[in-house]
């Protein structure tokens, strides 16, 4: 690299990026996969790790090859699509879903067990969420301090606590793996179910969002050129991937071995809270509460900063710091509807955005094979988008039976992966259109630069 960055600095930056990704979604979904998949846990986790971890690295690389921001990447389809996709993406990673979800999960796991059974529980959530968002705003105020706050202080603390929790569960297992349930009974469906469950970590979408804030946060290191930033982003991404793989496998292990002592739980937060009590007694509440508190604050800081930075760019009349306050206030309101309501509201949005994001990643990596023709981008996104919209409607319980009856002939449609087939068909049609129109080629070299 043109700028001399030491290994310890790369490690600190990698920890910062890991902390940005490591939030509530990374610790509450894998335990549920473990509980429900039972003896098929590792098959299901294979699918989960594809979307929840593997695609994260590909998204990071795709972002560096696609121009460094999600707007430039999605702009290869069409400027209007780029605007709509980016706004939905940032709002989902911000006030509509991730910020309220994270805050609610921190409360449910870290605070609720301590106040359960008391009156005015809703008041406790309100007070906690106000304090939590105030802290998030303070830590988000100056993005150049991210490496110091997240990479050097917070991440090492919760990593140590997680190692203690997981280590105890391995040394003294809570029980044996139970039988697989529901869609996890058959190996094939277990993999596909795990694949779609990986969506809910939001990490692939987060990779698109964190690009801009990552660049801002490393500015103090004097790294300016796109090539240097891209290289450091990928190096930090590799550290992040190793950490996420270890985390997800550990969380699935805890869930799979927890059935004997605690039974089946309604959500991963309960699985972790009850498992911690089994493993450590009453002190377990404080261990898992601290872990969730730290992971929650890092995610909230990263997401609030990223969405505020984006909206400052598209609406410069409102400053970054004002956006911090606006989105915190909106998130605070949504948080107090409760975790179950938040999860229900978000599912259709995720089933719409995730396939589109995966399609964009695939298109960037295959860009040079089809000469970067815009028609291929358009055809693929249309093919993927149609089925993604149908999946979102089904998830929202809108005309579910009618949609299944009409579109059930599409392979993998009922498993939530029919967009793969329609996306391929769309790309073929797009390529034929490009050839007939003699569209110019747009080749991308290894550094992510366009070569016409």
């Amino acid at each position: 690299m043109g700028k001399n960055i030491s290994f310890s600095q790369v490690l600190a930056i990698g920890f910062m990026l890991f902390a940005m990704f490591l939030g509530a979604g990374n610790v509450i979904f894998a335990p549920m996969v473990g509980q429900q998949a039972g003896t098929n846990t590792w098959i299901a986790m294979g699918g989960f790790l594809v979307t929840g971890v593997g695609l994260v690295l590909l998204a990071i690389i795709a972002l560096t090859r696609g121009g460094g921001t999600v707007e430039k990447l999605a702009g290869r389809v069409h400027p209007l699509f780029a605007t709509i996709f980016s706004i939905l993406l940032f709002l989902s990673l911000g006030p509509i879903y991730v910020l309220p979800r994270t805050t609610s999960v921190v409360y449910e796991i870290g605070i609720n067990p301590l106040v359960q059974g008391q009156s005015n529980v809703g008041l406790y959530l309100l007070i906690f969420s106000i304090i939590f968002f105030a802290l998030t705003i303070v830590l988000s105020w100056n993005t150049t301090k991210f490496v110091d706050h997240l990479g050097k202080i917070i991440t090492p603390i919760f990593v140590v606590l997680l190692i203690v929790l997981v280590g105890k569960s391995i040394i003294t297992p809570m029980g044996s793996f139970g039988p697989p349930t529901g869609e996890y009974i058959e190996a094939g469906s277990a993999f596909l179910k795990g694949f779609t469950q990986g969506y809910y970590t939001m990490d692939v979408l987060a990779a698109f969002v964190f690009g801009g804030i990552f660049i801002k946060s490393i500015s103090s290191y004097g790294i300016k050129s796109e090539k240097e930033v891209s290289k450091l982003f990928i190096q930090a991404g590799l550290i992040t991937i190793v950490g996420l793989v270890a985390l997800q496998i550990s969380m699935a292990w805890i869930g799979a071995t927890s059935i004997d002592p605690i039974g089946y739980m309604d959500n991963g937060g309960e699985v972790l809270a009850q498992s911690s009590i089994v493993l450590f007694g009453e002190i377990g509440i404080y261990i898992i509460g601290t872990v969730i508190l730290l992971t929650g604050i890092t995610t909230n800081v990263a997401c609030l900063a990223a969405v505020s930075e984006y909206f400052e760019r598209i609406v410069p009349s409102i400053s970054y710091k004002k956006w911090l306050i606006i989105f915190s206030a909106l998130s605070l309101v949504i948080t107090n509807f409760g975790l179950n309501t938040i999860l229900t509201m978000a599912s259709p949005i995720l089933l719409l955005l995730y396939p589109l994001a995966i399609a964009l990643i695939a298109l960037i990596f295959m860009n040079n094979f089809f000469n970067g023709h815009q028609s291929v981008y358009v055809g693929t996104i249309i093919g993927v988008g149609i089925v993604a919209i149908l999946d979102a409607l089904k998830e929202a319980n809108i005309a579910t039976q009618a949609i299944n009856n009409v579109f059930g002939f599409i392979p993998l449609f009922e498993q939530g992966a029919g967009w793969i087939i329609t996306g391929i068909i769309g790309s073929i049609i797009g390529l034929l259109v490009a050839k007939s129109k003699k569209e110019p080629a747009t080749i991308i070299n290894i550094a992510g630069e366009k070569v016409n």
Side-chain angles (χ1 to χ4, degrees):
M1 295 175 64
K3 180 75 176 178
N4 187 25
I5 300 294
S6 67
F7 175 76
S8 62
Q9 289 174 319
V10 173
L11 197 61
I13 293 169
F15 277 163
M16 174 201 70
L17 190 61
F18 176 54
M20 289 165 71
F21 279 103
L22 182 54
N26 283 300
V27 294
I28 66 171
F29 292 112
M32 285 302 290
V33 172
Q35 271 217 334
Q36 295 172 359
T39 52
N40 281 337
T41 290
W42 304 129
I43 296 173
M45 283 305 296
F48 188 95
L49 292 176
V50 168
T51 48
V53 179
L55 284 176
V56 175
L57 180 59
L58 296 183
I60 289 172
I61 297 172
L63 196 65
T64 63
R65 289 171 61 86
T69 65
V70 66
E71 303 101 289
K72 291 181 181 178
L73 178 60
R76 292 172 178 273
V77 181
H78 191 276
L80 180 60
F81 170 77
T83 299
I84 295 173
F85 179 77
S86 297
I87 289 174
L88 286 175
L89 180 64
F90 277 94
L91 288 177
S92 298
L93 265 292
I96 290 179
Y97 180 46
V98 171
L99 292 173
R101 181 192 72 178
T102 301
T103 306
S104 296
V105 168
V106 173
Y107 174 80
E108 289 292 337
I109 297 178
I111 306 298
N112 195 45
L114 303 176
V115 300
Q116 220 166 24
Q118 299 185 29
S119 59
N120 298 322
V121 173
L123 181 61
Y124 287 116
L125 173 59
L126 177 62
I127 294 171
F128 170 79
S129 56
I130 291 173
I131 296 171
F132 199 68
F133 278 113
L135 179 59
T136 300
I137 291 173
V138 170
L139 292 175
S140 306
W141 207 251
N142 187 351
T143 55
T144 60
K145 298 294 184 181
F146 270 25
V147 175
D148 290 333
H149 289 157
L150 304 189
K152 295 180 180 179
I153 301 174
I154 298 178
T155 308
I157 294 174
F158 66 60
V159 165
V160 169
L161 291 174
L162 277 174
I163 290 173
V164 170
L165 177 65
V166 174
K168 182 68 163 61
S169 74
I170 294 173
I171 295 170
T172 58
M174 292 180 284
S176 57
F177 285 24
T181 61
E183 295 179 67
Y184 294 102
I185 293 176
E186 299 294 332
S189 61
F191 182 88
L192 286 174
K193 181 66 174 177
F195 185 91
T196 55
Q197 286 298 297
Y199 292 179
Y200 293 91
T201 65
M202 297 285 285
D203 284 342
V204 170
L205 303 183
F208 287 153
V209 167
F210 290 158
I213 205 66
F214 178 86
I215 294 169
K216 268 194 171 183
S217 66
I218 62 174
S219 62
S220 60
Y221 286 85
I223 301 168
K224 302 297 182 183
S225 76
E226 288 188 10
K227 187 175 181 180
E228 290 177 338
V229 170
S230 296
K231 184 175 180 180
L232 185 56
F233 197 14
I234 292 172
Q235 289 175 333
L238 289 171
I239 295 171
T240 298
I241 295 308
V242 171
L244 288 177
V245 168
L247 173 73
Q248 300 294 9
I249 291 175
S250 301
M251 294 297 99
W253 162 265
I254 289 177
T257 57
S258 68
I259 297 171
D260 288 343
I262 69 173
Y264 291 98
M265 297 285 106
D266 292 331
N267 60 66
E270 292 181 353
V271 173
L272 287 178
Q274 296 303 317
S275 295
S276 297
I277 294 172
V278 171
L279 291 168
F280 292 99
E282 187 175 342
I283 195 175
I285 298 176
Y286 299 98
I287 293 175
I288 194 62
T290 303
V291 169
I292 295 299
L293 175 66
L294 293 176
T295 58
I297 198 65
T298 56
T299 296
N300 266 22
V301 168
C303 289
L304 180 60
V307 71
S308 299
E309 186 269 341
Y310 170 74
F311 275 89
E312 183 191 33
R313 276 191 280 127
I314 65 173
V315 189
S317 59
I318 301 177
S319 70
Y320 166 81
K321 292 177 180 179
K322 288 180 180 177
W323 280 119
L324 289 179
I325 296 171
I326 292 169
F327 287 129
S328 294
L330 179 57
S331 301
L332 176 65
V333 172
I334 296 176
T335 297
N336 282 270
F337 281 104
L339 182 58
N340 290 335
T341 301
I342 294 167
L343 294 176
T344 301
M345 287 170 51
S347 289
I349 298 173
L350 295 183
L351 290 178
L352 171 63
L353 293 180
Y354 240 90
L356 294 172
I358 294 172
L360 286 173
I361 294 171
L363 286 166
I364 281 293
F365 277 97
M366 298 185 69
N367 182 88
N368 292 357
F369 288 100
F370 57 83
N371 291 322
H373 294 309
Q374 185 182 24
S375 291
V376 177
Y377 280 90
V378 174
T380 304
I381 292 300
I382 289 175
V384 170
I386 290 172
V387 174
I389 291 171
L390 294 173
D391 285 336
L393 291 173
K394 285 167 56 181
E395 187 67 17
N397 292 318
I398 298 174
T400 302
Q401 191 60 49
I403 291 173
N404 283 332
N405 290 339
V406 175
F407 298 97
F409 69 92
I410 300 173
L412 303 178
F413 183 78
E414 292 188 5
Q415 288 77 30
W419 56 268
I420 297 174
I421 305 299
T422 55
I424 292 172
I425 294 171
S427 67
I428 294 171
I429 294 172
L431 184 59
L432 294 174
V433 171
K435 294 296 183 184
S436 68
K437 292 170 59 178
K438 297 182 180 179
E439 285 185 8
T442 305
I443 305 300
I444 303 174
N445 66 22
I446 194 168
E449 300 164 338
K450 291 182 181 180
V451 181
N452 292 324

